[in-house]
């Protein structure tokens, strides 16, 4: 019914991308990052395809709660930790693993000891230069000592987060890794009996996994790449292996001809330099298509890359189809997805793929498919398929 403005989510692509991720870091356990509604793909359908991961990482308590309410038993990590007693108690009740990134959280934890029935796993976060969340080295060592002396703590994993892992020529990631290494060595020197080979680490997001193999450690934390988007455009080989899971599409709802020198859309931002056919597509910033998409941003119609003209409106965009006489009302239009990378659209709109994927609005209909044909094709292209995982 009505115009088909929708996001089609290919769940088999997510499963495939997980196996590509595993091949890049064969020795590491996987904390699959499913925050922000699984990067806009839908939390529950997405996790249903991520059985082969070891843990789900979310940013907020509500996200963890939705997973537990759905009966998910897998370990869940709360990346942002907790800010008060109430949040901590809720996290404990829901059997969450917690990031500790601030000394205040240690005080809250000590005060809650008696509520902890099942010993906790804590991810202790060192600030190695991102300066967002994380302890400084002396607070980190002190925190470790406090945690390791409590019988309510089962395990501590040391972690940090990279600020610039997508910048492959820039030394920041190396320096962040060195700071973590140094701090761990200091910790071992100061705490008798700590065996660093047993104290697990986690540093790598998608860009770290792809570009910094030395960062893989015990746990990797892939987000974007699970959804088929490569954060490092220089690694084009990988882009061919990943399958974009989201295809965002709509339809042409009108085709009009305008004369030479006529303008299209709000504020006459674009003016024709010839007699032109203009296609009008039912998509706009009210759906999550970026307002800032500039002239020439491609959309895909019948296999043609057709340029955007004029300003993006709330419900509509306009494209120049003068060179594509076959384009007609009712034709399906891909805004991004398979054959039109979301990263390319993000570049045209001065933003990042993360923002576009997480930005679809409630007006957009989601449709879930399991497109095994594309998946099996790609799967056979992988260098060394992990056999037991490659079966649907
Ligand atoms: C979001 C997030 C990730 C995943 O990052 P991607 O770039 O999407 O792979 C990993 N670790 C932390 C702490 C995060 O917040």
């Amino acid at each position: 019914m009505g115009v088909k403005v929708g996001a089609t989510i290919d769940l088999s692509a997510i499963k495939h991308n997980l196996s590509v991720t595993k091949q890049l870091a064969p020795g590491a356990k996987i904390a699959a990052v499913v925050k922000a509604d699984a990067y806009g793909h839908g939390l529950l359908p997405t996790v249903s395809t991520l059985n082969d991961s070891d843990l789900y990482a979310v940013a907020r308590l509500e996200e963890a709660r939705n997973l537990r309410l759905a009966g998910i038993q897998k370990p869940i990590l709360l990346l942002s930790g907790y800010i008060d007693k109430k949040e901590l108690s809720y996290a404990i009740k829901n059997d969450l693993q917690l990031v500790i990134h601030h000394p205040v959280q240690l005080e809250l934890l000590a005060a809650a000891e008696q509520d902890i029935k099942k010993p906790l796993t804590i991810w202790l976060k060192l600030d190695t230069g991102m300066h967002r969340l994380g302890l400084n080295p002396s607070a980190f060592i002190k925190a470790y000592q406090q945690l390791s002396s409590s019988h309510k703590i089962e395990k501590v994993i040391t972690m940090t987060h990279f600020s610039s892992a997508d910048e492959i020529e820039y030394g920041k990631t190396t320096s962040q890794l060195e700071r973590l290494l140094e701090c761990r060595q200091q910790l071992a020197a100061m705490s008798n009996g700590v065996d660093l080979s047993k104290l697990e680490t986690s540093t790598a997001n998608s860009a770290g996994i792809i570009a910094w193999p030395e960062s893989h450690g015990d746990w990797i934390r892939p987000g974007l790449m699970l959804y088929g988007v490569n954060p490092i455009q220089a690694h084009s080989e990988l882009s061919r292996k990943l399958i974009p899971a989201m295809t965002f599409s709509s339809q042409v709802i009108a085709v009009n001809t305008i004369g030479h020198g006529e303008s299209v859309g709000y504020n006459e931002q674009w003016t024709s330099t010839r007699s032109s056919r203009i296609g009008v597509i039912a998509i706009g910033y009210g759906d999550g298509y970026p307002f800032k998409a500039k002239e020439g941003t491609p959309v895909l119609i019948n296999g043609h890359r057709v340029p955007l003209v004029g300003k993006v409106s709330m419900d509509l965009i306009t494209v120049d189809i003068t060179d594509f006489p076959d384009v007609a009302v009712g034709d399906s239009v891909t805004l991004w997805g398979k054959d039109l990378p979301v990263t390319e659209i993000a570049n045209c709109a001065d933003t990042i793929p993360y923002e576009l994927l997480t930005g679809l609005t409630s007006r957009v209909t989601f449709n879930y498919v399991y497109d095994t044909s594309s998946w099996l094709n790609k799967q056979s292209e992988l260098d060394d398929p992990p056999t037991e995982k490659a079966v649907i």
Side-chain angles (χ1 to χ4, degrees):
M1 194 196 75
V3 178
K4 294 188 194 72
V5 180
T8 301
I9 308 295
D10 178 358
L11 294 173
S12 72
I14 297 175
K15 196 176 171 71
H16 164 86
N17 297 329
L18 178 63
S19 70
V20 173
T21 305
K22 280 194 169 190
Q23 286 196 332
L24 287 176
K29 284 176 275 191
I30 298 188
V33 182
V34 294
K35 62 193 178 189
D37 205 24
Y39 289 49
H41 292 66
L43 180 64
L44 296 178
T46 296
V47 299
S48 76
T49 67
L50 290 171
N51 281 329
D52 291 344
S53 65
D54 300 284
L55 174 152
Y56 299 132
V58 297
R60 307 264 168 84
L61 267 177
E62 289 71 18
E63 298 173 319
R65 177 167 184 264
N66 288 337
L67 287 172
R68 287 291 182 241
L69 281 177
I72 306 281
Q73 316 232 316
K74 203 186 272 290
I76 297 174
L77 170 63
L78 191 58
L79 290 169
S80 306
Y82 49 95
I83 62 162
D84 58 26
K85 200 171 141 190
K86 217 169 129 198
E87 283 193 359
L88 175 58
S89 132
Y90 191 81
I92 292 170
K93 276 201 200 93
N94 282 277
D95 190 18
L96 307 184
Q97 301 189 8
L98 300 166
V99 169
I100 287 189
H101 55 76
H102 197 281
V104 169
Q105 294 174 305
L106 287 161
E107 291 166 29
L108 291 165
L109 189 64
E113 278 231 334
Q114 70 285 355
D115 303 334
I116 304 173
K117 306 285 181 296
K118 186 180 153 206
L120 301 176
T121 294
I122 298 292
W123 295 55
L124 194 58
K125 188 167 192 173
L126 180 70
D127 176 14
T128 53
M130 170 111 174
H131 301 317
R132 197 178 58 180
L133 295 180
L135 297 156
N136 65 40
S138 69
F140 183 87
I141 292 171
K142 214 169 125 204
Y144 177 81
Q145 289 168 338
Q146 179 183 326
L147 293 170
S148 59
S149 67
S150 163
H151 61 281
K152 294 294 177 77
I153 306 300
E154 184 187 17
K155 184 172 175 182
V156 177
I157 296 168
T158 60
M159 75 178 291
T160 195
H161 192 53
F162 296 137
S163 68
S164 315
D166 56 339
E167 298 179 55
I168 53 181
E169 307 289 343
Y170 177 46
K172 178 72 182 265
T173 303
T174 309
S175 112
Q176 289 194 262
L177 276 171
E178 275 165 7
R179 285 190 188 183
L180 178 65
L181 190 74
E182 235 169 70
C183 184
R184 280 167 54 89
Q185 279 162 352
Q186 224 177 331
L187 182 143
M190 288 174 66
S191 327
N192 261 341
V194 176
D195 178 355
L196 283 184
S197 69
K198 295 211 174 80
L199 182 56
E200 295 182 353
T201 62
S202 174
T203 62
N205 55 1
S206 295
I209 295 163
I210 296 159
W212 306 89
E214 65 274 37
S215 76
H216 291 172
D218 299 286
W219 286 88
I220 54 171
R221 305 192 303 268
L224 193 68
M225 67 187 299
L226 294 178
Y227 307 98
V229 180
N230 179 359
I232 305 184
Q233 286 167 61
H235 286 237
S236 54
E237 165 111 357
L238 182 72
S239 302
R240 283 193 293 277
K241 284 188 181 172
L242 296 172
I243 305 176
M246 177 192 289
T247 298
F248 187 29
S249 55
S250 184
Q251 282 182 298
V252 177
I253 62 162
V255 170
N256 299 308
T257 302
I258 59 168
H260 179 187
E262 296 292 331
S263 63
V264 171
Y266 286 116
N267 309 117
E268 308 193 306
Q269 188 170 277
W270 181 82
T271 303
S272 64
T273 54
R274 58 182 174 175
S275 168
S276 303
R277 280 176 86 230
I278 300 298
V280 185
I281 300 164
I283 201 79
Y285 58 80
D287 304 292
Y289 191 82
F291 175 72
K292 287 179 85 182
K294 53 179 183 271
E295 183 186 324
T297 301
V299 306
L300 209 60
I301 312 176
N302 304 342
H304 312 297
R305 289 166 59 97
V306 177
L308 179 78
V309 294
K311 276 190 182 174
V312 171
S313 334
M314 188 183 291
D315 316 310
L316 300 167
I317 59 172
T318 38
V319 295
D320 181 359
I321 52 171
T322 315
D323 296 331
F324 311 103
D326 60 305
V327 172
V329 169
D331 284 355
S332 170
V333 181
T334 298
L335 289 324
W336 64 68
K338 286 180 182 156
D339 306 317
L340 187 58
V342 65
T343 305
E344 185 178 346
I345 308 307
N347 291 342
C348 291
D350 290 328
T351 181
I352 53 175
Y354 300 80
E355 187 178 39
L356 296 186
L357 294 176
T358 57
L360 299 193
T361 67
S362 57
R363 184 161 72 172
V364 177
T365 308
F366 276 66
N367 178 28
Y368 290 90
V369 299
Y370 206 84
D371 181 2
T372 47
S373 59
S374 70
W375 184 65
L376 288 171
N377 259 340
K378 288 273 183 178
Q379 195 72 198
S380 62
E381 281 171 23
L382 296 184
D383 312 327
D384 182 24
T387 46
E388 84 275 25
K389 314 295 186 200
V391 180
I392 300 163

